[in-house]
Amino acid sequence: MFFSKRDLQFNLYQLLDVEQLVQYPYFQDHNRESFDMVLDAAEQIADKMLRPLLTEMDRNEPQLVDGKIRVHEGMKAITRRFGEDGWINATFRYEEGGQQLPATVHNAAAFIFQAANYSASVYPFLTTGAANLIRSFGSPELIDTYTPNMYNGRWQGTMALTEPNAGSSLSDISTSAEPTQTAGIYKIQGQKIFISCGDHDACENVVHLLLAKIKGGPAGTKGISLFVVPQQRVTPEGLVPNGVTTAGVYHKMGYKGAPIAHLMFGSDADCVGYLVGEEHRGLSYMFQMMNEARVGVGTNAAAIGTAAYHASLAYAKERPQGRPIAAKDPTQPQTLIIHHADVKRMLLFQKSVVEGSLSLLLQCGLWADIAHVAQGTDKERAELLLDLLTPIAKSYPSEMCCQTTSAAVQILGGAGYTTDFPLEQYYREARIHPIHEGTTGIHGLDLLGRKITLKGGKAVQLLAEEMSLAIAQAKAVANEPKLPIWAEQLEKTLLKVQQVTGHLLAIAPQNVEAFLADATLYLEMFGITTIAWQWLKQATEANKKLADANADSERHFYQGKIATAHYFFEYELAKTTALAKRLLSQNRATVEMQPEWF
Amino acid sequence: MFFSKRDLQFNLYQLLDVEQLVQYPYFQDHNRESFDMVLDAAEQIADKMLRPLLTEMDRNEPQLVDGKIRVHEGMKAITRRFGEDGWINATFRYEEGGQQLPATVHNAAAFIFQAANYSASVYPFLTTGAANLIRSFGSPELIDTYTPNMYNGRWQGTMALTEPNAGSSLSDISTSAEPTQTAGIYKIQGQKIFISCGDHDACENVVHLLLAKIKGGPAGTKGISLFVVPQQRVTPEGLVPNGVTTAGVYHKMGYKGAPIAHLMFGSDADCVGYLVGEEHRGLSYMFQMMNEARVGVGTNAAAIGTAAYHASLAYAKERPQGRPIAAKDPTQPQTLIIHHADVKRMLLFQKSVVEGSLSLLLQCGLWADIAHVAQGTDKERAELLLDLLTPIAKSYPSEMCCQTTSAAVQILGGAGYTTDFPLEQYYREARIHPIHEGTTGIHGLDLLGRKITLKGGKAVQLLAEEMSLAIAQAKAVANEPKLPIWAEQLEKTLLKVQQVTGHLLAIAPQNVEAFLADATLYLEMFGITTIAWQWLKQATEANKKLADANADSERHFYQGKIATAHYFFEYELAKTTALAKRLLSQNRATVEMQPEWF
């Protein structure tokens, strides 16, 4: 198996109590049964349609043929199926053809797709995000014209941001929009690179949510507007080419099943764009999609890490090699490698990262749901926590799953480096996530430079309260002495994070470069602490349920949770010691380094 | 450029004073000029022959066609050139056609080849190791029959150890050798997997140095013997097929230009093997080759890391993106990314790892040379230090260059993930090194379980003396206050390593499993400390020379060395704090974990 359904259920029903959402009118038709049906349906598609193409899609990457990108022919049926079964707009309102499904459950289903075949999962995911932008900020006409065929999977949605001279620096985009005689309609000119699913033959049209600058507008991010730019525009005569041409398809290290395009707008023929919302507010609209996409990228990474973990676990349970260190008699048969402490360490590392990430990611889904349907302080609280932890939810899984897929490769040894096993593919696919949707460096700046001081530090305060609650509950555990110890460790680490934060904020007024120079390391420290909090919660819950668990499988599940928390607190949380040491240092090795000295 | 010649010269002539070797009769014909000529010649071949095929060889991987592995056609000229120019036996005696070149200089040349095109560099490297085994332990007849065509590059040498059921556990090999009527000649039967250059069409014959068990011999490693098993054996009638068939070629994540074969011996026709040295002593002979190969693998990793570092550095110096954190005016032009502290951090990380690794690796070469030509305590000292540090020299670069190539990819962002740049190839090629020539886990066990207690701890004692000398020299520096501080930091870390070692050795008698459970982390801590020692030496030397350096390029070189040492002590050495915390813990999370809990 490439994921653990039991673990998803543990998160949804035990840790998060996702059933609490049905108290809100928006979700009132749902219950555990309907959630379980969603997960079962996702598993079916993942197993029957996505998984079988995992390797094939990697070996047969998209090609540009006669100006059109050809993808694996299996993608036609997959994208259509996602549309027909309602996955693309599952969280939207009934009036829009949606199912009013909680994002938490939708994300859990997406996680299953991603673990089965990451590349294939990307197509519908992007369409959902693009459609969501149109329905949130577009005119009724735009919504009616473009979203129905996105929902049914026939039209692909994209987000078109990056340009050759504007990757991390969006303020420098140069794609232009020139007003026409008709209000809301603009002439678009420019090029975009790295556009995921920007063109392919498994759909009938592509709807780009594109950032451009209206001529004469303000410089920088304040002059960015959002447009719907269809590959073919809708006219009374039907679909008509809209001056969007595909200049190339990128060949990549991994994630090969999804086509990443280089697109030209208005170079050969006129290209029309439809303004979404108001002029010059494009970036703030796009952030809705980007924030969703960022939690989504974290989930992708965790899903790939999960598939790699389970593949290496299965191998470790079957592969005999070597003998117990205390009994090395060569006349005795070899032992399974899962009995070696170093192999268990590499498995625990993976399990602790991927399951710790998943619980944070689903927690983010729950906050998104509450922010969506609740009011007042509940809503504000959920929004702030989600905002604060989005850089962690994106970056911790992205960075760490590069390392966990590496550990998975290592468990298989030479076999893991060959294409006979999927591990090397997971390793390649994991590597994109620290890059797209904002590099890790960008998220470090976001966390330390913006999120920490959000609403005067209120978000951080709320998170500290959440952690303190988990700490208090773990301290009160009487039957497992390790839990109060871990609670104290987390408490100390939290104080250390606060000390580091104070130290850095004090530097900011005099030297903003030094303040932010190690933001990436701050992000790492914050991330480990956040995941430790998740493990404390998981272990507390597992310990509570262990006493009443009768079935062996249930007992093992809970024992595994407690043992993995043990690993995390012993091996991973310890890393914050070194990070704090560095972050509290007054030395500025990186700031002082001069380019010519390299 | 894909490496720094200035850095090689700094290591050879300033740090190591490799010219000291010419005092020994074996090296007496050499001098700095001859060494420089070797480096120049290596650079020429690397530039003209190896580098141009880097990408091509990756895109056109070896294929098995009609039972024969076809490799890139450019490899014929390359292997022949390596032979003709004397690279394969350069370190051997004049009587053998060698040049009595120091291994230190030969390794420096090999480093240039590896940085240019790792896959291409592997072919001659393996032949050298195999030939070295034959000349060291084989009969005069074997030497005369097989080594000349290995030296001239027409015949490929290999080491054939691994079997399907014996990867890390060599004691479990089952390839058998049955004595024939003729002394020294055996019938070989079995199969070997993952044999680098085990078959290919760029050579005329392959000479396998193969481990097998003579029937009726003792169990385990004590029953392993070493054989020369040619693909075609030499007879008075010429070359005759020797029952070695190629069952397959592995398709791999990277390192694609070198063919890795699955071989069958004696399955279709009789296969003859020639015993090397005495029966049952094969593993100890093979360790000569393995130890050389281990330092070689560390060098490969450092070379790939070096090429990635220089590629990402060149990009960072050309790519404008974003603005200084303290001056974000969007109407101003963008700044080069090399000015961002986070990019400098990623460059310093790479520079500190690859240049720190290289100086340790060349130091190992010097010890190998001294062990080869010196006598008495000098020889013993060099042997012990080399033995002790081989697991570090293999594993530190191997593990860390997976991370540094990742940082190089990150600097390029999305571009780094595409095949438009060589970074993604370096990332894939780096990943093999923690696996082959003993996994990192195996080297952890070697260091903690064997090397630390070697000769009653004498090797460790010698290393501590070496480090203390460097510490004393750095403490005495008057004009750069950072050096005495770093010296103290290294001193403290060394004490911490000693404390951890004592703690672990005390556990050994009661619980050998717990003693070795975290050997990989111990290896990591020891590795960082060792590289810190190298940086202290580099910085001390650079500081000394900086005062008299006139040319800007020289000043920048030395300033870069000091700044990189600064980075290493601030960012990398700090990691030992967390490792020590874990290693001193009494908790046994990995040992206690049960397979069924996963």
Side-chain angles (χ1 to χ4, degrees):
Chain A
M1 197 26 101
F2 48 88
F3 75 104
S4 161
K5 199 177 208 174
R6 179 68 188 88
D7 192 43
L8 274 179
Q9 290 165 335
F10 176 69
N11 275 286
L12 294 177
Y13 305 128
Q14 298 182 239
L15 283 184
L16 296 176
D17 182 23
V18 73
E19 290 164 275
Q20 68 179 281
L21 290 173
V22 306
Q23 69 181 289
Y24 296 99
Y26 190 83
F27 300 124
Q28 67 187 358
D29 298 339
H30 285 284
N31 52 40
R32 174 154 180 175
E33 282 69 43
S34 68
F35 297 154
D36 276 339
M37 277 173 59
V38 168
L39 298 183
D40 288 345
E43 191 180 356
Q44 276 249 339
I45 295 183
D47 239 8
K48 300 274 160 50
M49 298 187 79
L50 301 190
R51 192 74 186 165
L53 298 187
L54 173 70
T55 311
E56 262 188 50
M57 286 175 64
D58 181 66
R59 306 299 191 267
N60 302 285
E61 55 180 334
Q63 301 291 343
L64 184 65
V65 183
D66 300 333
K68 183 88 200 160
I69 297 176
R70 275 198 203 149
V71 296
H72 191 285
E73 58 175 12
M75 278 313 303
K76 277 202 187 78
I78 291 173
T79 50
R80 217 50 47 84
R81 179 69 181 271
F82 274 117
E84 284 162 8
D85 288 5
W87 290 105
I88 292 168
N89 56 344
T91 61
F92 299 170
R93 289 187 305 274
Y94 294 133
E95 308 89 88
E96 300 168 289
Q99 298 162 47
Q100 303 196 171
L101 187 68
T104 322
V105 179
H106 194 234
N107 292 357
F111 173 80
I112 298 174
F113 299 142
Q114 294 154 13
N117 181 336
Y118 164 55
S119 287
S121 77
V122 166
Y123 297 67
F125 175 81
L126 286 165
T127 304
T128 298
N132 201 13
L133 267 187
I134 301 177
R135 72 190 268 271
S136 300
F137 306 110
S139 66
E141 199 191 330
L142 265 185
I143 295 170
D144 289 347
T145 311
Y146 287 97
T147 61
N149 281 317
M150 296 172 81
Y151 297 156
N152 68 26
R154 306 177 86 89
W155 293 4
Q156 175 70 53
T158 81
M159 54 202 287
L161 287 73
T162 304
E163 299 182 7
N165 297 315
S168 292
S169 179
L170 275 177
S171 67
D172 291 287
I173 62 167
S174 62
T175 294
S176 67
E178 198 177 333
T180 64
Q181 308 271 338
T182 317
I185 297 187
Y186 292 73
K187 224 181 98 183
I188 305 292
Q189 204 145 31
Q191 57 176 315
K192 296 284 179 181
I193 59 170
F194 297 138
I195 307 308
S196 296
C197 296
D199 174 33
H200 63 86
D201 62 351
C203 65
E204 295 163 14
N205 196 8
V206 183
V207 182
H208 302 291
L209 274 288
L210 174 139
L211 295 183
K213 286 186 171 173
I214 295 172
K215 286 187 176 175
T221 54
K222 285 174 191 151
I224 295 177
S225 301
L226 178 64
F227 298 87
V228 162
V229 182
Q231 190 180 56
Q232 299 172 81
R233 60 178 180 264
V234 178
T235 72
E237 290 75 42
L239 292 177
V240 169
N242 186 36
V244 183
T245 50
T246 304
V249 62
Y250 292 93
H251 296 287
K252 316 181 294 299
M253 170 157 62
Y255 173 35
K256 293 189 182 187
I260 312 299
H262 178 181
L263 301 175
M264 312 293 291
F265 297 86
S267 62
D268 294 346
D270 274 2
C271 174
V272 163
Y274 306 94
L275 182 68
V276 177
E278 296 170 31
E279 289 184 353
H280 310 320
R281 295 202 48 202
L283 198 61
S284 72
Y285 302 149
M286 188 57 96
F287 259 105
Q288 173 192 294
M289 186 171 179
M290 277 158 68
N291 279 329
E292 281 172 21
R294 284 168 172 186
V295 174
V297 165
T299 312
N300 296 336
I304 294 166
T306 297
Y309 162 61
H310 285 282
S312 65
L313 175 60
Y315 186 88
K317 284 181 168 174
E318 284 173 3
R319 167 75 174 171
Q321 191 78 172
R323 287 169 186 77
I325 270 176
K328 288 207 148 291
D329 179 355
T331 64
Q332 293 300 307
Q334 299 196 69
T335 186
L336 296 173
I337 63 171
I338 199 166
H339 294 293
H340 298 311
D342 198 50
V343 172
K344 287 193 278 180
R345 183 183 60 77
M346 292 190 281
L347 288 168
L348 281 166
F349 171 54
Q350 294 181 70
K351 184 174 163 74
S352 75
V353 168
V354 300
E355 295 183 3
S357 295
L358 181 62
S359 77
L360 174 66
L361 290 158
L362 291 173
Q363 170 70 76
C364 287
L366 188 66
W367 285 327
D369 282 323
I370 293 172
H372 176 208
V373 298
Q375 300 296 330
T377 52
D378 282 357
K379 181 185 175 73
E380 191 202 14
R381 189 179 149 280
E383 277 175 348
L384 283 171
L385 285 165
L386 181 57
D387 250 21
L388 172 65
L389 289 182
T390 293
I392 305 291
K394 194 275 177 180
S395 301
Y396 180 88
S398 295
E399 286 288 335
M400 293 307 294
C401 288
C402 291
Q403 294 185 36
T404 63
T405 53
S406 183
V409 167
Q410 191 71 13
I411 287 171
L412 273 75
Y417 196 69
T418 70
T419 58
D420 298 343
F421 291 86
L423 282 305
E424 63 87 30
Q425 182 178 345
Y426 295 137
Y427 183 70
R428 290 183 284 112
E429 301 208 328
R431 188 61 190 80
I432 187 59
H433 302 293
I435 296 172
H436 63 182
E437 288 309 328
T439 63
T440 302
I442 294 289
H443 286 285
L445 297 176
D446 181 44
L447 178 67
L448 183 57
R450 276 195 291 256
K451 299 296 175 68
I452 291 297
T453 49
L454 197 65
K455 297 237 169 159
K458 189 164 179 193
V460 176
Q461 183 53 40
L462 287 169
L463 179 65
E465 284 170 23
E466 287 276 330
M467 290 194 186
S468 299
L469 184 65
I471 289 166
Q473 286 173 346
K475 278 188 177 172
V477 168
N479 68 334
E480 171 53 85
K482 289 205 276 309
L483 271 160
I485 293 171
W486 299 337
E488 268 176 45
Q489 287 178 0
L490 179 59
E491 198 166 33
K492 274 190 200 156
T493 309
L494 190 55
L495 285 172
K496 192 60 103 173
V497 171
Q498 287 162 347
Q499 184 194 349
V500 167
T501 309
H503 167 81
L504 293 174
L505 289 174
I507 295 171
Q510 309 111 47
N511 188 342
V512 67
E513 192 184 5
F515 162 51
L516 291 171
D518 284 330
T520 301
L521 302 189
Y522 180 80
L523 178 75
E524 187 181 349
M525 185 183 185
F526 208 107
I528 297 171
T529 309
T530 304
I531 302 300
W533 161 53
Q534 290 298 317
W535 273 111
L536 192 65
K537 285 171 63 179
Q538 292 201 33
T540 304
E541 172 68 15
N543 178 67
K544 195 162 74 188
K545 293 289 157 57
L546 182 58
D548 300 324
N550 290 318
D552 271 357
S553 62
E554 282 296 286
R555 291 187 59 77
H556 293 160
F557 178 81
Y558 292 125
Q559 283 166 319
K561 284 292 183 189
I562 296 166
T564 308
H566 191 191
Y567 167 85
F568 197 89
F569 278 89
E570 277 294 312
Y571 288 75
E572 299 302 311
L573 193 64
K575 293 176 181 171
T576 59
T577 320
L579 289 162
K581 189 173 174 184
R582 166 59 218 152
L583 287 162
L584 291 170
S585 165
Q586 300 288 350
N587 283 300
R588 307 269 169 263
T590 61
V591 175
E592 291 161 9
M593 181 71 183
Q594 297 302 310
E596 61 272 22
W597 297 352
F598 281 108
Chain B
M1 195 30 97
F2 49 87
F3 76 105
S4 161
K5 200 178 208 173
R6 178 68 188 86
D7 192 43
L8 275 179
Q9 289 165 335
F10 177 69
N11 275 285
L12 293 176
Y13 306 127
Q14 297 181 239
L15 282 185
L16 295 176
D17 181 24
V18 73
E19 290 165 273
Q20 68 178 280
L21 289 173
V22 305
Q23 70 182 290
Y24 296 100
Y26 190 84
F27 300 123
Q28 67 186 358
D29 297 339
H30 285 284
N31 51 41
R32 174 152 179 176
E33 283 68 43
S34 69
F35 297 155
D36 276 339
M37 278 174 59
V38 167
L39 297 184
D40 288 345
E43 190 180 356
Q44 276 250 338
I45 296 184
D47 239 6
K48 299 274 158 50
M49 299 188 78
L50 302 189
R51 191 74 186 165
L53 298 187
L54 173 71
T55 312
E56 263 189 47
M57 285 175 67
D58 181 66
R59 307 296 192 266
N60 301 285
E61 55 180 335
Q63 301 292 342
L64 184 64
V65 183
D66 299 334
K68 183 88 200 159
I69 297 176
R70 274 196 204 149
V71 296
H72 191 286
E73 58 176 13
M75 278 311 303
K76 275 202 190 78
I78 291 174
T79 52
R80 217 52 45 85
R81 178 70 181 270
F82 274 118
E84 284 163 8
D85 288 4
W87 290 105
I88 291 168
N89 56 343
T91 62
F92 300 170
R93 289 188 302 274
Y94 295 134
E95 309 90 89
E96 301 168 291
Q99 300 161 46
Q100 303 197 170
L101 187 69
T104 321
V105 179
H106 193 234
N107 291 356
F111 173 81
I112 298 174
F113 299 142
Q114 293 155 13
N117 182 337
Y118 165 54
S119 288
S121 77
V122 166
Y123 297 68
F125 175 81
L126 286 165
T127 303
T128 298
N132 201 12
L133 267 187
I134 301 177
R135 71 189 267 272
S136 300
F137 306 110
S139 65
E141 199 192 329
L142 265 183
I143 295 170
D144 290 346
T145 309
Y146 288 99
T147 60
N149 282 315
M150 296 171 81
Y151 296 155
N152 69 24
R154 306 176 84 89
W155 294 5
Q156 175 69 54
T158 83
M159 56 202 286
L161 286 73
T162 304
E163 299 182 6
N165 297 314
S168 293
S169 179
L170 275 177
S171 67
D172 290 287
I173 61 167
S174 62
T175 294
S176 67
E178 200 177 331
T180 63
Q181 307 273 335
T182 316
I185 297 186
Y186 293 74
K187 223 180 99 182
I188 305 292
Q189 202 146 33
Q191 57 176 314
K192 296 285 178 180
I193 60 172
F194 297 138
I195 306 309
S196 296
C197 297
D199 175 33
H200 64 86
D201 62 351
C203 64
E204 296 163 13
N205 196 9
V206 183
V207 182
H208 302 291
L209 275 286
L210 175 141
L211 295 183
K213 287 186 170 172
I214 296 172
K215 286 187 175 173
T221 53
K222 286 173 191 152
I224 295 176
S225 301
L226 177 63
F227 298 87
V228 162
V229 182
Q231 189 180 57
Q232 299 171 83
R233 63 178 179 263
V234 178
T235 71
E237 290 75 41
L239 291 176
V240 169
N242 186 36
V244 183
T245 51
T246 304
V249 62
Y250 291 93
H251 297 287
K252 316 181 292 298
M253 171 156 62
Y255 174 35
K256 292 188 182 189
I260 312 299
H262 178 179
L263 301 175
M264 313 292 292
F265 296 86
S267 60
D268 293 346
D270 274 2
C271 175
V272 164
Y274 306 93
L275 183 67
V276 177
E278 296 171 29
E279 291 185 349
H280 310 321
R281 295 200 49 200
L283 197 60
S284 72
Y285 301 149
M286 187 58 94
F287 259 104
Q288 173 191 295
M289 185 170 179
M290 278 158 66
N291 279 329
E292 282 172 20
R294 285 169 172 185
V295 174
V297 165
T299 312
N300 297 335
I304 294 166
T306 297
Y309 162 61
H310 286 282
S312 65
L313 175 60
Y315 186 89
K317 284 180 169 174
E318 286 173 4
R319 168 76 175 169
Q321 192 76 174
R323 287 169 185 77
I325 271 178
K328 288 209 149 292
D329 179 354
T331 64
Q332 293 302 305
Q334 300 196 66
T335 185
L336 297 174
I337 63 171
I338 199 166
H339 295 293
H340 297 310
D342 198 51
V343 172
K344 288 193 278 179
R345 183 184 58 78
M346 292 189 282
L347 289 169
L348 281 166
F349 171 54
Q350 293 180 72
K351 185 173 163 72
S352 76
V353 167
V354 300
E355 294 183 4
S357 295
L358 181 62
S359 77
L360 174 66
L361 289 158
L362 292 173
Q363 170 69 77
C364 286
L366 188 66
W367 285 326
D369 281 323
I370 293 172
H372 176 209
V373 298
Q375 300 296 330
T377 52
D378 282 356
K379 181 186 176 72
E380 190 201 14
R381 187 179 150 280
E383 278 176 348
L384 283 171
L385 285 166
L386 181 57
D387 248 22
L388 172 65
L389 288 182
T390 293
I392 305 290
K394 194 273 176 183
S395 300
Y396 180 88
S398 295
E399 286 288 335
M400 293 308 293
C401 288
C402 291
Q403 294 184 36
T404 62
T405 53
S406 183
V409 168
Q410 190 72 15
I411 287 171
L412 273 75
Y417 196 69
T418 69
T419 58
D420 298 343
F421 291 85
L423 283 305
E424 63 87 29
Q425 182 177 345
Y426 295 138
Y427 184 70
R428 289 183 284 110
E429 301 208 327
R431 188 60 190 83
I432 187 59
H433 302 293
I435 296 172
H436 62 183
E437 287 309 328
T439 63
T440 302
I442 294 289
H443 286 284
L445 297 176
D446 181 44
L447 178 67
L448 183 57
R450 276 195 290 258
K451 298 296 175 65
I452 291 297
T453 50
L454 198 65
K455 297 238 169 156
K458 189 166 180 192
V460 177
Q461 184 54 39
L462 287 169
L463 179 64
E465 284 170 24
E466 286 276 331
M467 291 194 185
S468 299
L469 183 65
I471 288 167
Q473 287 173 345
K475 278 188 179 174
V477 168
N479 68 334
E480 171 51 88
K482 290 207 272 318
L483 271 161
I485 294 172
W486 299 338
E488 268 175 43
Q489 287 177 2
L490 179 58
E491 197 166 35
K492 274 190 199 154
T493 309
L494 190 56
L495 284 172
K496 194 57 106 171
V497 171
Q498 286 163 347
Q499 184 195 350
V500 166
T501 308
H503 168 80
L504 293 175
L505 289 174
I507 294 170
Q510 308 113 47
N511 189 342
V512 68
E513 191 183 5
F515 162 51
L516 291 171
D518 285 331
T520 301
L521 302 189
Y522 180 81
L523 178 75
E524 187 180 349
M525 184 181 184
F526 207 107
I528 297 170
T529 309
T530 304
I531 301 301
W533 161 54
Q534 290 298 316
W535 274 112
L536 192 64
K537 285 170 63 178
Q538 293 200 33
T540 304
E541 171 68 15
N543 177 67
K544 195 162 72 187
K545 294 288 158 59
L546 181 59
D548 300 325
N550 290 317
D552 272 357
S553 63
E554 282 296 285
R555 291 188 57 77
H556 293 159
F557 178 81
Y558 293 126
Q559 282 166 319
K561 284 293 184 189
I562 296 166
T564 309
H566 192 192
Y567 168 85
F568 197 90
F569 277 90
E570 276 295 310
Y571 288 75
E572 299 303 309
L573 193 64
K575 292 177 182 171
T576 58
T577 320
L579 289 162
K581 189 172 174 184
R582 166 58 218 153
L583 287 161
L584 292 169
S585 164
Q586 300 288 350
N587 282 301
R588 307 268 168 263
T590 60
V591 175
E592 289 161 11
M593 183 70 184
Q594 298 301 310
E596 61 272 22
W597 297 352
F598 280 108

